[in-house]
Amino acid sequence: MTDLRHHGDVDARPGLEDFAVNVRGDAPPAWLRSRLVEALDEIGRYPSAEHDAAARRAVAVRHGRSPDEVLVLAGAAEGFALLPALRPRLAALVHPSFTEPEVALRTAGVPVHHVLLAAADGFQLDAAAVPEEADLVVLGNPTNPTSVLHPADTLRALARPGRVLVVDEAFMDAVPGEVESLAGEALDGVLVLRSLTKTWALPGLRAGYALGPPPLLARLAAARPHWPVGTLQLAAVAACAEPLAVAEAEAAARETAEHRAVLAAALAELPGVRVHLPAAGPYLLLRVRDGERVREALRARGIAVRRGDTFPGLTTDHLRVAVRDPRRCEPLLVALRAELEPGRVR
């Protein structure tokens, strides 16, 4: 049985060189830490409607939307946890992909249909593969862990009356220009989820947001408790939506793309390694001969990579590696070469 609750943080125990978690940097940038420190003076009071409105306004300006089309979340993962509130009759989940939506829906008793994409087809989505009767469709763009960026036109083709299309754009701000994003489009029945975790090194804060039609957001949020998002989270969302932050994220996305190309080329030279390309996210999906042994051997050498077999449609020979700068990647490449090249001492 696939362990749908397994995530990269489990693989990346303290003391290991971390290629399992797709977070840029080890801590938020100094300017963002300063904003969070300033917000500490506000935590003696409950989060206010003014705090929430300020965060929603900033996100709305960032994406060219209206503030009532924004719902601030305790991380994009909260958005997935809220999906059962939409009361779908059949959920079509495009895999391999992030598994928390499936956990939430199955736990709530929602019937789930897998739309399994194939490596032979480049993990590309054919909209015709999604059952017509599915009234909820969930997919990632770019997709975790395949790093595939689906064309926006393909996603638009999935939208229709009576269906909610959920697009997980948790890694979209790591794509230069955010090409193929639907975040700036007000489309009926389309819900876009965004996360601050990856680009801004905030996994411990749990901050993100949803974009969609106000009636759909109201249905999604109907069962939330009062004060669902804290003051620091609201401050982070507002700060990371400001123009200077968006420009910094764009520069980081371009740098990540350069680093990804260098890492992909180096990995492709290793015996027994197949790199899935093209790739658009801050991570690469590998198929490695004797993958489970290699993953454990890397761990023994002090390096953590993400196992792939907990994603529906992948196997123990699949590994996901986060993109780091070339200097940080060298130990990974040395260790992989030692484990994979014939005649090497292990």
Side-chain angles (χ1 to χ4, degrees), residues 52-61 64-72 186 190-191 210-219 221:
D52 179 69
R56 289 189 293 106
R57 281 196 303 271
V59 171
V61 170
R65 305 286 291 259
S66 168
D68 64 355
E69 295 176 300
V70 180
L71 178 68
V72 181
V190 176
L191 188 67
L211 300 159
L216 179 57
L217 295 181
R219 290 171 57 200

Side-chain angles (χ1 to χ4, degrees), residues 11 96 117-120 123 145-146 272 274-276 284-295 305-321:
D11 294 308
L117 307 185
F123 296 110
T146 62
R274 183 178 301 170
V275 184
H276 175 69
L284 290 166
L285 179 67
L286 315 181
R287 186 156 192 164
V288 179
R289 183 182 62 232
D290 200 10
E292 188 167 7
R293 180 198 66 79
V294 170
R295 179 173 60 83
V305 296
R306 172 66 158 92
R307 63 188 294 181
D309 59 309
T310 64
F311 293 100
L314 299 185
T315 71
T316 55
D317 284 345
H318 288 96
L319 305 175
R320 190 194 70 196
V321 297

Side-chain angles (χ1 to χ4, degrees), residues 123-136:
F123 296 110
Q124 292 294 324
L125 173 64
D126 178 0
V130 177
E132 189 64 33
E133 63 270 25
D135 56 350
L136 176 67

Side-chain angles (χ1 to χ4, degrees), residues 49-339:
E50 289 75 19
H51 288 126
D52 179 69
R56 289 189 293 106
R57 281 196 303 271
V59 171
V61 170
R62 188 234 197 277
H63 293 291
R65 305 286 291 259
S66 168
D68 64 355
E69 295 176 300
V70 180
L71 178 68
V72 181
L73 299 168
E78 189 201 3
F80 300 129
L82 295 174
L83 290 179
L86 301 178
R87 301 188 182 280
R89 296 182 301 276
L90 176 65
L93 304 182
V94 179
H95 279 300
S97 191
F98 187 58
T99 53
E100 282 301 312
E102 181 161 348
V103 170
L105 292 164
R106 287 193 181 276
T107 300
V110 177
V112 167
H113 174 85
H114 282 183
V115 180
L116 286 177
L117 307 185
D121 300 324
F123 296 110
Q124 292 294 324
L125 173 64
D126 178 0
V130 177
E132 189 64 33
E133 63 270 25
D135 56 350
L136 176 67
V137 179
V138 185
L139 76 164
N141 206 34
T143 302
N144 171 21
T146 62
S147 214
V148 167
L149 185 65
H150 299 290
D153 283 344
T154 300
L155 305 191
R156 293 187 193 100
L158 292 172
R160 63 205 56 197
R163 170 185 285 176
V164 175
L165 171 64
V166 179
V167 184
D168 173 13
E169 292 193 0
F171 293 99
M172 186 59 81
D173 61 354
V175 176
E178 297 192 2
V179 294
E180 312 302 348
S181 172
L182 296 184
E185 301 184 28
L187 301 173
D188 287 343
V190 176
L191 188 67
V192 175
L193 298 180
R194 287 285 186 115
S195 170
L196 307 187
T197 297
K198 285 74 182 175
T199 291
W200 301 114
L202 290 173
L205 191 60
R206 314 310 306 138
Y209 52 90
L211 300 159
L216 179 57
L217 295 181
R219 290 171 57 200
L220 192 72
R224 294 176 94 193
H226 208 50
W227 314 294
V229 179
T231 301
L232 292 182
Q233 294 158 301
L234 292 167
V237 168
C240 293
E242 292 174 355
L244 287 177
V246 175
E248 182 176 322
E250 174 65 18
R254 291 195 299 268
E255 181 181 65
T256 296
E258 294 171 1
H259 291 168
R260 183 177 60 237
V262 172
L263 178 59
L267 288 165
E269 292 179 354
L270 299 176
V273 175
R274 183 178 301 170
V275 184
H276 175 69
L277 294 173
Y283 43 86
L284 290 166
L285 179 67
L286 315 181
R287 186 156 192 164
V288 179
R289 183 182 62 232
D290 200 10
E292 188 167 7
R293 180 198 66 79
V294 170
R295 179 173 60 83
E296 291 296 337
L298 289 175
R299 192 176 185 84
R301 291 174 179 269
I303 295 174
V305 296
R306 172 66 158 92
R307 63 188 294 181
D309 59 309
T310 64
F311 293 100
L314 299 185
T315 71
T316 55
D317 284 345
H318 288 96
L319 305 175
R320 190 194 70 196
V321 297
V323 172
R324 310 289 189 221
D325 69 68
R327 178 189 58 81
R328 284 191 64 185
C329 290
E330 190 57 32
L332 169 67
L333 296 168
V334 169
L336 274 171
R337 189 174 296 111
E339 291 299 326

